[in-house]
Amino acid sequence: AQKVTQAQTEISVVEKEDVTLDCVYETRDTTYYLFWYKQPPSGELVFLIRRNSFDEQNEISGRYSWNFQKSTSSFNFTITASQVVDSAVYFCALSEMNYGGATNKLIFGTGTLLAVQP
Amino acid sequence: NAGVTQTPKFRILKIGQSMTLQCTQDMNHNYMYWYRQDPGMGLKLIYYSVGAGITDKGEVPNGYNVSRSTTEDFPLRLELAAPSQTSVYFCASRQGSTSGANVLTFGAGSRLTVL
């Protein structure tokens, strides 16, 4: 069964510190997609990144970077030089694929609450 | 474009009452989803739809019903509300594809309290 585990429930850092949010997933699919979403205190869900299972290159976008390792089934998210505006709940998600059924449900982890203190 | 619009944003229900959460999208997306978010539990899929007239159950469908008569609308109905249905509900949509690559666009959420 597909599963996404975010073991870190809450992380608190001081502004300008680097922080890594862990995500471990389980799937029997050979082709799948992984996502990170951000949920700021206002409550909406904001898409951050999508990664397919064939592309293990790390990705960097400004202060954000993602490390995808199939060997350890992990898709970790690092924020460099954190800022107060980064305070949010971050969700990792896995796209389940049912061939022929075309359901493509997104399975979410339980989220990590990141608090960045000034 | 408005994206995904959910109404109401907040609602308080009494035990046993019924109500419908409305969701509409203007992006001509085939796929639509209802999730509920409970504290510390992430998002759980309630129901989803792959097109007008087609719906299916997710992980936690009990106590809910959906319909999809048009591409744009995907209402979620709560029958006989119970305190366990106190949650934040998110509607989402995405373009049609079997690849799983498409990104979900979420509504702003509807906070429901059952007392």
Side-chain angles (χ1 to χ4, degrees):
Chain A
Q2 270 86 348
K3 185 179 179 181
V4 176
T5 301
Q6 295 180 257
Q8 304 152 307
T9 305
E10 293 185 34
I11 300 176
S12 182
V13 298
V14 177
E15 208 169 18
K16 297 185 182 178
E17 284 186 27
D18 298 348
V19 58
T20 295
L21 309 180
D22 297 332
C23 173
V24 174
Y25 63 92
E26 297 175 27
T27 180
R28 288 172 293 186
D29 289 335
T30 55
T31 303
Y32 51 88
Y33 289 83
L34 294 161
F35 303 77
W36 276 95
Y37 281 83
K38 174 182 180 180
Q39 187 177 41
S42 52
E44 74 274 23
L45 285 149
V46 178
F47 165 75
L48 294 177
I49 190 172
R50 173 188 63 208
R51 171 68 70 206
N52 76 54
S53 53
F54 296 115
D55 183 2
E56 289 194 69
Q57 285 188 349
N58 291 334
E59 180 151 343
I60 298 174
S61 176
R63 296 183 296 106
Y64 295 172
S65 62
W66 290 268
N67 184 325
F68 175 33
Q69 292 193 343
K70 285 182 79 170
S71 60
T72 56
S73 296
S74 64
F75 186 42
N76 296 337
F77 173 29
T78 297
I79 301 175
T80 303
S82 59
Q83 299 176 1
V84 172
V85 293
D86 295 326
S87 296
V89 179
Y90 290 87
F91 290 99
C92 182
L94 168 68
S95 181
E96 177 186 277
M97 299 176 61
N98 291 334
Y99 297 100
T103 55
N104 304 129
K105 293 176 281 188
L106 205 57
I107 309 295
F108 283 84
T110 52
T112 297
L113 173 61
L114 174 64
V116 182
Q117 309 296 333
Chain B
N1 279 348
V4 179
T5 303
Q6 291 181 234
T7 56
K9 292 191 184 306
F10 303 95
R11 181 72 185 268
I12 298 175
L13 279 181
K14 293 183 179 178
I15 295 173
Q17 286 186 321
S18 300
M19 76 158 296
T20 299
L21 297 176
Q22 301 291 344
C23 176
T24 186
Q25 52 92 9
D26 62 0
M27 298 171 285
N28 202 32
H29 286 174
N30 287 331
Y31 290 67
M32 295 188 75
Y33 304 81
W34 274 106
Y35 285 89
R36 60 177 286 174
Q37 182 181 18
D38 301 313
M41 298 298 292
L43 284 85
K44 299 292 186 183
L45 182 64
I46 306 172
Y47 271 96
Y48 64 97
S49 169
V50 300
I54 306 170
T55 63
D56 206 349
K57 297 177 181 178
E59 300 171 80
V60 290
N62 291 344
Y64 307 95
N65 279 301
V66 293
S67 59
R68 185 93 183 272
S69 57
T70 67
T71 298
E72 295 78 18
D73 300 308
F74 190 41
L76 177 71
R77 180 143 181 96
L78 282 71
E79 305 282 2
L80 299 175
S84 60
Q85 293 178 303
T86 294
S87 189
V88 179
Y89 292 84
F90 286 96
C91 180
S93 72
R94 67 172 182 85
Q95 290 178 338
S97 163
T98 58
S99 72
N102 299 110
V103 174
L104 291 183
T105 299
F106 283 87
S110 298
R111 183 176 295 277
L112 175 67
T113 302
V114 182
L115 300 175

